[in-house]
């Protein structure tokens, strides 16, 4: 079963005191102590970011590790990746992430991992990367379209409610035919795909939403039900 869990924002990166989304990701593995590997490429393999990953996941029922391309754990990256249960991609610069992955052949390795049942997850850049296209601030000022790995069809826009310019930029890029229709995610929302279909949408915040956004006669937004993971 091919699975991807894309978060608009949240998890240990943005909600260190709210573990709901990270707990959801861990529960999707078919083992009691899943091997979860953090890919901090988009942050330039930030040591602080890696430390925050371990601070959270060392206290969970899992076996955490990370993959740095600046200090590789092995010459055989394919074997290192394929032994994991979950690959968790952090936020940062999507353009640099994609460039480095392709240079190291990691894009092909990740596709193989996905096809072999390793769960792919991530937020922000780590969500955008799995789609055909995304909205990115990788180039500096402003938001622009970017072509991504294409494991999932359409486009993706994270931080839909968290950054005021995201929604209008996503609409404008569709209206000018620079982006395909796609999925927008508020911070705190994760969309879980099984194969190419939406399996479930969950949230760590009671009012966070996801949207299907398309260009018809104009921009059409359709709210998608997100299940709040917290208690009432």
């Amino acid at each position: 079963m091919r699975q991807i869990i894309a978060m608009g924002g949240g998890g240990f990166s943005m909600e260190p005191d709210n573990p709901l989304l990270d707990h959801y990701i861990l529960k999707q593995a078919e083992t009691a102590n899943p091997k979860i590997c953090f890919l901090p490429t988009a942050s330039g393999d930030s040591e602080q970011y890696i430390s925050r990953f371990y601070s959270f996941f060392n206290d969970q029922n899992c076996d955490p590790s990370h993959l740095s391309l600046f200090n590789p754990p092995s010459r055989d990256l394919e074997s290192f990746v394929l032994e994991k249960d979950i690959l968790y991609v952090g936020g940062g610069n999507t353009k640099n992430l994609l460039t480095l992955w392709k240079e190291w052949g990691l894009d092909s390795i990740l596709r193989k991992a996905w096809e072999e049942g390793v769960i792919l997850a991530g937020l922000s850049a780590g969500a955008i990367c799995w789609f055909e296209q995304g909205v990115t601030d990788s180039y500096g000022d402003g938001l622009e379209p970017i072509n991504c790995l294409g494991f999932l069809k359409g486009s993706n826009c994270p931080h839909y409610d968290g950054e005021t310019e995201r929604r209008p930029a996503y609409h404008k890029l569709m209206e000018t035919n620079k982006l395909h229709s796609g999925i927008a995610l508020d911070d705190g929302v994760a969309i879980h795909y099984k194969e190419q279909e939406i399996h479930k949408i969950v949230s760590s915040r009671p009012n966070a939403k996801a949207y299907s956004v398309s260009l018809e006669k104009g921009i059409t937004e359709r709210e998608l039900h997100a299940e709040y993971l917290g208690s009432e």
Side-chain angles (χ1 to χ4, degrees):
M1 173 69 71
R2 300 182 300 177
Q3 298 187 70
I4 293 177
I5 303 170
M7 296 184 283
F12 77 93
S13 291
M14 295 179 62
E15 298 179 318
D17 298 321
N18 185 350
L20 292 174
L21 291 179
D22 290 334
H23 285 169
Y24 178 83
I25 290 170
L26 289 172
K27 287 177 183 176
Q28 305 318 305
E30 296 180 354
T31 177
N33 194 50
K35 295 178 180 178
I36 182 168
C37 181
F38 183 46
L39 281 67
T41 318
S43 68
D45 288 348
S46 164
E47 290 295 333
Q48 183 185 48
Y49 203 2
I50 294 168
S51 177
R52 286 159 56 201
F53 167 78
Y54 283 111
S55 290
F56 177 77
F57 284 99
N58 277 336
D59 290 335
Q60 312 305 313
N61 292 322
C62 64
D63 179 9
S65 62
H66 74 281
L67 170 55
S68 169
L69 294 180
F70 292 87
N71 185 21
S74 169
R75 283 186 174 271
D76 186 356
L77 293 184
E78 181 170 321
S79 294
F80 180 83
V81 167
L82 293 179
E83 71 171 7
K84 310 305 180 189
D85 300 300
I86 303 168
L87 300 173
Y88 191 132
V89 182
N93 189 301
T94 312
K95 175 66 173 176
N96 289 344
L97 173 151
L98 292 169
T99 299
L100 282 167
W101 282 3
K102 288 176 183 177
E103 180 65 26
W104 284 80
L106 196 55
D107 53 340
S108 299
I109 294 172
L110 290 171
R111 178 175 286 276
K112 185 173 182 179
W114 177 52
E115 291 173 346
E116 292 190 7
V118 178
I119 297 168
L120 308 181
L123 80 159
S124 192
I128 293 169
C129 65
W130 311 120
F131 291 80
E132 290 179 310
Q133 298 174 308
V135 181
T136 184
D137 57 4
S138 296
Y139 300 95
D141 293 339
L143 293 164
E144 299 181 48
I146 188 168
N147 293 323
C148 303
L149 296 176
F151 295 5
L152 298 173
K153 302 297 184 183
S155 64
N156 179 255
C157 181
H159 309 305
Y160 208 51
D161 66 334
E163 299 177 7
T164 56
E165 69 274 18
R166 288 277 174 170
R167 187 182 235 119
Y170 197 34
H171 292 183
K172 183 177 180 180
L173 290 169
M174 277 191 198
E175 290 169 339
T176 54
N177 296 313
K178 294 178 179 177
L179 281 181
H180 302 319
S181 299
I183 299 293
L185 299 172
D186 286 349
D187 289 338
V189 172
I191 185 164
H192 184 179
Y193 287 85
K194 289 188 175 181
E195 301 299 337
Q196 294 286 339
E197 302 299 322
I198 296 173
H199 168 65
K200 185 180 285 190
I201 302 173
V202 297
S203 72
S204 60
R205 306 177 187 183
N207 299 314
K209 298 177 174 65
Y211 302 87
S212 173
V213 186
S214 59
L215 179 65
E216 296 170 15
K217 292 182 179 179
I219 291 293
T220 299
E221 278 190 359
R222 181 169 60 90
E223 185 177 323
L224 304 174
H225 173 70
E227 176 187 329
Y228 175 52
L229 294 170
S231 58
E232 296 296 332

